[in-house]
Amino acid sequence: MDTALEDRLPTCPLSLTINGKPYTLDVHPWTTLLDLLRSDLELTGTKKGCDHGQCGACTVLIDGQRMNACLKLAVTLEGAAITTVEGLGTPDEMHPVQKAFVEHDAFQCGYCTPGQICSTIGLLNEGHASTREDIRELMSGNLCRCGAYTNIADAIEEVLADRASYREAAE
């Protein structure tokens, strides 16, 4: 789209917090959270896969709940707290889920990994998973074309087994 034309199209004010940082933005009403994160804010850890909510590559946390960012219009998130993979940890201070994914080699190409990690944190926040079957079912919205499902489930089981350290990191 022509930049001059885009600048004349309507926008809506939006205030939200992303990875602990407050933002006040003017966004077009049709802008998805995914496009806001990747294009406008250059937070490219969240991946664009199918753009239809079917693959889970764009999974982020919205107020602690997992959500496909491609399905959420940014203007609906006034006052929300968004967490992307960039807001979880650093190479020196990894989030327990990130650490478990590394230790269990729960990725191959890595494209789905940010969404898998955010979905895992959402799954842990929900508190419904207690068995490997629960994990597989509750993570079924996140696809891995490389087939690292066994290692992903192993990583999640490890974090579930050590809930005390997970709760400390989450607080």
Side-chain angles (χ1 to χ4, degrees):
M1 183 179 293
D2 179 8
T3 307
L5 173 61
E6 190 171 338
D7 289 342
R8 293 191 313 257
L9 294 174
T11 60
C12 301
L14 175 65
S15 295
L16 46 75
T17 302
I18 302 172
N19 298 330
K21 181 180 175 187
Y23 287 86
T24 301
L25 309 160
D26 287 315
V27 299
H28 296 293
W30 56 83
T31 303
T32 64
L33 175 58
L34 177 60
D35 289 335
L36 176 70
L37 292 170
R38 290 186 58 81
S39 299
D40 298 348
L41 301 177
E42 298 181 359
L43 293 169
T44 57
T46 304
K47 302 302 183 212
K48 185 176 258 196
C50 66
D51 217 16
H52 295 288
Q54 297 175 345
C55 73
C58 67
T59 305
V60 297
L61 299 169
I62 301 174
D63 296 325
Q65 300 290 320
R66 54 189 167 158
M67 174 65 64
N68 291 339
C70 71
L71 296 179
K72 200 72 176 157
L73 291 175
V75 296
T76 67
L77 296 169
E78 179 66 34
I82 313 299
T83 304
T84 69
V85 72
E86 291 95 340
L88 295 177
T90 67
D92 294 330
E93 292 278 331
M94 285 192 280
H95 185 282
V97 172
Q98 290 171 312
K99 192 175 206 176
F101 268 61
V102 169
E103 289 171 357
H104 288 276
D105 198 23
F107 51 87
Q108 287 183 31
C109 80
Y111 195 83
C112 72
T113 305
Q116 295 276 2
I117 288 172
C118 287
S119 191
T120 297
I121 293 168
L123 171 141
L124 295 168
N125 291 344
E126 293 160 9
H128 301 300
S130 57
T131 67
R132 190 173 187 90
E133 292 75 28
D134 292 342
I135 291 168
R136 294 295 300 263
E137 177 64 28
L138 294 169
M139 290 294 291
S140 65
N142 291 82
L143 303 180
C144 173
R145 290 180 182 238
C146 300
Y149 296 114
T150 301
N151 297 7
I152 291 167
D154 291 345
I156 296 169
E157 279 186 319
E158 177 182 300
V159 177
L160 276 173
D162 192 9
R163 288 179 189 237
S165 69
Y166 172 75
R167 284 193 193 106
E168 286 175 20
E171 293 173 355

